[in-house]
Amino acid sequence: MIFQCTQSLYATVSLYLSTLVALSSAAIYDQYSDIPLGKEYDFIIAGGGTAGIALASRLSENSAFNVLVLEAGTSSVGVFNITVPYFATRTVLQYDWNLTTTVQPGLGDRWLFFPRGFILGGSSSINGMFYTRGSSDDFNRFADTTGDDGWSWDSIQQYLALNEKLVPPAGYPNTTGEYNPNVHYYHGAVDVSLPSFSQSIDSKVLDAVDELGGIYSYNEDVNSGSPLGLGWLPRTIDSEGRRSSSVTAYLSDESNDKLDVLVNARVARVVPTSNTTLNSTARYSFRTVEFTQDITNVTLTQITASKEVIICGGVVGSPQILLNSGIGNSTTLLAAGITALVDLPSVGQNLSDQAFIANAFLASTTNTYDDINRNDTVSNEVLAEWMGGDGQGDFQGAGPLGDTFANQISYYRISEELTDEYGDFAAGATSPHLEIYPGNGYFIAPPTTGYYMTMTTVVVSPVSRGSITINGSNPFTPPIIDPGYLTAKFDIVAMKEAFKIVYTFLNASVWDGYILEPPTGLPSIPDFFTMNATELDVQLESYIRNSTGSSAHPVGTVAMSAKDASYGALDPDLKVKGVDGLRVVDASAFPFVTCSHTQVPVYVFAERAAVLIKTSWQQ
């Protein structure tokens, strides 16, 4: 559903959004010909997403560097549906690449929509805005895997500080006890806030935690590095109830003439600018980028960086660009009609995504968010509230639209009995296997009737792996995406455990009479605890395989590894192995997915990459 508002309300919204355009439009170009003639660049960044914009901004802080970002999508500045936080629940296909996976045997031979932002700011412009860092174990595992202590939890705190700016929520509600002030940062680039609007289920959720205890215990701050338990959910939303993306956070300096952004620019490949010999081994230098602004009548333009090309195309785009450039598995490249230049078999492999199910239980209430996304009258009312109530443009972000779709989030480990049998694939002993969060309504597009409570279940430490491969020699043909969902036994076992946790939570006395019906395919709450164990197991497995989707947290397709490792695609400094002048900075560089939403770790990678790159060129 795409929001429809009255003409007067639309005019007011448009006036407001036009003020945002001035913040970041100075360096954004629609056409390459509009860029000042003869301008040369030290760094060219392929991809203006979460990582690309943050990295570009940090590099351009050095007055000696000129930086160009090539973004395939359109500008996000002033786009209405992505500015209002709650409207993240409304899929707008024009801002997505509209990719799909291959048929997934682990999902009952279904294919899935594979979300990926096709807009400046990338997925930071369309995501659910969850601000979750993951566990300390996640980053310590990065450090152990790469042999670089700079990726450890203690070491990355400086980059969290550069990124996070904790601000009061819209309306300045009392948030005492909802977070630990000592584990947050207050002077970074991206606005982060706690929930501003109370959901009707908030008190019930917290009462259930008090009643149950144990694994359900309250966690004062899930971002402390120890996320287990249930706590309040910070999100990347500013104090006026607006989305804070890489664009709003990092492109707000009008006077920055060191950074240019070209939108509608599709990168085809990187091209060698030289071929040197080191220790009798040929070594290519890739500092030229080939792109087009018209994939219908393709005319390729080449531009060369004097220092480095940095690929920030995301888990799909980065391996696709490398493979189209002849960097990958030589055998498969030749089979696709690509000249193999650098044999790097790990490119496109190790794809990992978190299996996700939004489980909507019918509830005995009308006090949910469901009518916001199915009733234009209600939608207009809450929009007017978000804009200040009087329609005069105070823009205080009041009401439900100034928040995302969940106020709390919780993390759990599966039982020791199961880890003994299937292995423990979390990053450490205090890291979760599962994420569960309650939502006061049906996730995304609700049915025409009924009111719901959604318990979303996510396997955050999955074992299943897949791949990204190119589909021929045309660089603009969508790649073959095979995430391999639920192909590892551990993942299906873990998701079953998630349902035991959900049902036990909803069986707390505070929910008596609240849940009317389970999602189709699941047993009622009483039946869950009385069914034959084998029958329950069969029913859960069928439901899971037929309901699982993508969490939109894919990682790992250009993974970093130790400098001397025989596997992996990147060194710990994010340089592509075996070549010069080329790095990759985005979630594709993660060797493992963090037990979190991936937005914050991507920002961490961008912030650290900026420091590494600046340091290397200042020596």
Side-chain angles (χ1 to χ4, degrees):
M1 174 179 178
I2 297 178
F3 174 75
Q4 302 291 325
C5 57
T6 62
Q7 186 172 359
S8 60
L9 190 55
Y10 181 81
T12 305
V13 171
S14 298
L15 176 63
Y16 163 53
L17 292 179
S18 70
T19 67
L20 292 183
V21 174
L23 290 176
S24 55
S25 60
I28 299 176
Y29 297 94
D30 289 318
Q31 298 295 324
Y32 183 53
S33 58
D34 294 336
I35 294 176
L37 187 65
K39 189 166 186 178
E40 296 181 350
Y41 295 98
D42 300 282
F43 301 97
I44 298 173
I45 296 177
T50 308
I53 293 300
L55 175 61
S57 176
R58 293 303 188 196
L59 291 178
S60 68
E61 291 173 344
N62 186 321
S63 61
F65 296 161
N66 282 328
V67 183
L68 173 66
V69 176
L70 301 173
E71 165 55 33
T74 59
S75 174
S76 59
V77 178
V79 176
F80 175 64
N81 274 69
I82 68 170
T83 303
V84 184
Y86 189 77
F87 287 173
T89 59
R90 302 175 176 187
T91 302
V92 182
L93 295 180
Q94 75 188 89
Y95 304 131
D96 200 287
W97 284 82
N98 297 316
L99 300 171
T100 56
T101 70
T102 58
V103 169
Q104 297 292 288
L107 303 183
D109 291 333
R110 293 182 295 125
W111 56 266
L112 298 182
F113 179 66
F114 200 73
R116 180 185 171 215
F118 185 67
I119 188 169
L120 192 64
S123 293
S124 76
S125 292
I126 66 169
N127 64 13
M129 293 155 286
F130 287 26
Y131 181 90
T132 54
R133 298 171 175 172
S135 70
S136 58
D137 295 328
D138 283 326
F139 290 92
N140 291 336
R141 180 164 63 171
F142 287 171
D144 290 342
T145 299
T146 62
D148 182 351
D149 192 60
W151 291 113
S152 69
W153 175 255
D154 289 344
S155 295
I156 61 101
Q157 293 304 308
Q158 60 185 305
Y159 308 115
L160 288 171
L162 288 168
N163 175 251
E164 182 188 18
K165 180 171 67 176
L166 191 69
V167 297
Y172 290 71
N174 184 0
T175 56
T176 302
E178 295 182 4
Y179 72 108
N180 179 353
N182 296 322
V183 302
H184 289 274
Y185 301 98
Y186 302 86
H187 304 289
V190 176
D191 289 311
V192 177
S193 63
L194 286 150
S196 63
F197 185 78
S198 296
Q199 295 187 1
S200 62
I201 60 172
D202 286 350
S203 61
K204 291 181 180 294
V205 168
L206 297 175
D207 286 346
V209 165
D210 288 341
E211 177 181 336
L212 295 170
I215 64 171
Y216 302 91
S217 294
Y218 181 69
N219 185 335
E220 183 185 31
D221 203 307
V222 296
N223 283 311
S224 65
S226 299
L228 295 174
L230 181 142
W232 290 87
L233 173 63
R235 64 287 312 278
T236 49
I237 297 175
D238 70 16
S239 292
E240 293 192 347
R242 302 173 300 193
R243 174 191 292 272
S244 182
S245 68
S246 65
V247 175
T248 64
Y250 288 94
L251 285 188
S252 59
D253 185 0
E254 261 188 286
S255 64
N256 185 359
D257 61 354
K258 310 303 293 183
L259 172 59
D260 293 334
V261 178
L262 180 63
V263 296
N264 304 308
R266 297 276 290 270
V267 173
R269 60 180 64 88
V270 290
V271 179
T273 50
S274 63
N275 184 3
T276 60
T277 300
L278 294 175
N279 300 324
S280 302
T281 302
R283 187 179 180 95
Y284 286 99
S285 174
F286 289 86
R287 288 186 170 88
T288 297
V289 179
E290 215 168 55
F291 70 95
T292 185
Q293 290 197 276
D294 184 355
I295 64 167
T296 303
N297 301 297
V298 176
T299 300
L300 292 172
T301 299
Q302 287 191 353
I303 185 168
T304 299
S306 64
K307 291 182 172 63
E308 291 186 26
V309 169
I310 306 153
I311 300 176
C312 300
V315 74
V316 175
S318 289
Q320 185 179 15
I321 291 170
L322 289 174
L323 292 168
N324 281 311
S325 306
I327 304 172
N329 185 301
S330 295
T331 302
T332 55
L333 287 174
L334 291 171
I338 303 289
T339 300
L341 300 179
V342 181
D343 187 28
L344 203 56
S346 292
V347 174
Q349 303 304 301
N350 191 48
L351 173 60
S352 176
D353 193 12
Q354 297 167 336
F356 162 102
I357 311 177
N359 308 284
F361 291 81
L362 186 67
S364 60
T365 181
T366 59
N367 193 10
T368 70
Y369 287 179
D370 291 296
D371 284 335
I372 294 175
N373 277 344
R374 67 186 177 195
N375 183 310
D376 284 346
T377 299
V378 173
S379 195
N380 279 327
E381 289 173 353
V382 293
L383 178 61
E385 184 180 13
W386 176 78
M387 294 175 63
D390 57 4
Q392 300 304 307
D394 291 334
F395 310 115
Q396 297 302 306
L401 298 191
D403 267 333
T404 190
F405 42 84
N407 276 0
Q408 299 86 27
I409 196 164
S410 58
Y411 292 97
Y412 308 91
R413 289 180 60 79
I414 64 174
S415 67
E416 287 188 20
E417 178 183 356
L418 291 176
T419 56
D420 287 345
E421 182 175 356
Y422 295 99
D424 187 353
F425 298 95
T430 60
S431 292
H433 305 106
L434 301 168
E435 173 185 289
I436 299 172
Y437 53 89
N440 187 33
Y442 198 97
F443 183 70
I444 307 296
T448 55
T449 60
Y451 297 86
Y452 296 86
M453 176 182 177
T454 296
M455 295 293 289
T456 298
T457 54
V458 188
V459 178
V460 292
S461 299
V463 181
S464 300
R465 294 292 186 271
S467 63
I468 303 284
T469 53
I470 53 175
N471 191 14
S473 59
N474 183 341
F476 305 115
T477 299
I480 300 168
I481 303 171
D482 178 12
Y485 292 114
L486 303 185
T487 51
K489 183 66 174 176
F490 176 89
D491 295 355
I492 192 79
V493 168
M495 188 65 88
K496 289 176 185 177
E497 187 88 342
F499 283 96
K500 294 179 183 178
I501 293 169
V502 165
Y503 272 81
T504 301
F505 183 77
L506 294 178
N507 199 41
S509 61
V510 69
W511 301 109
D512 287 351
Y514 192 83
I515 301 298
L516 298 178
E517 295 178 12
T520 302
L522 286 179
S524 67
I525 292 175
D527 286 349
F528 187 92
F529 297 100
T530 58
M531 283 181 68
N532 173 276
T534 301
E535 292 178 359
L536 176 60
D537 188 75
V538 170
Q539 186 171 354
L540 286 178
E541 180 147 350
S542 176
Y543 173 83
I544 290 167
R545 293 199 184 279
N546 286 291
S547 304
T548 290
S550 169
S551 63
H553 301 152
V555 307
T557 50
V558 193
M560 62 179 182
S561 63
K563 208 169 186 67
D564 58 353
S566 60
Y567 65 94
L570 306 177
D571 286 333
D573 56 5
L574 305 175
K575 291 180 180 178
V576 177
K577 289 179 180 288
V579 307
D580 293 324
L582 189 61
R583 298 190 206 228
V584 176
V585 181
D586 53 41
S588 71
F590 299 7
F592 305 93
V593 67
T594 53
C595 63
S596 65
H597 295 236
T598 49
Q599 174 179 215
V600 180
V602 167
Y603 278 130
V604 167
F605 268 58
E607 291 282 8
R608 185 172 189 226
V611 171
L612 291 171
I613 294 167
K614 286 178 179 178
T615 301
S616 69
W617 288 101
Q618 288 169 354
Q619 292 176 348

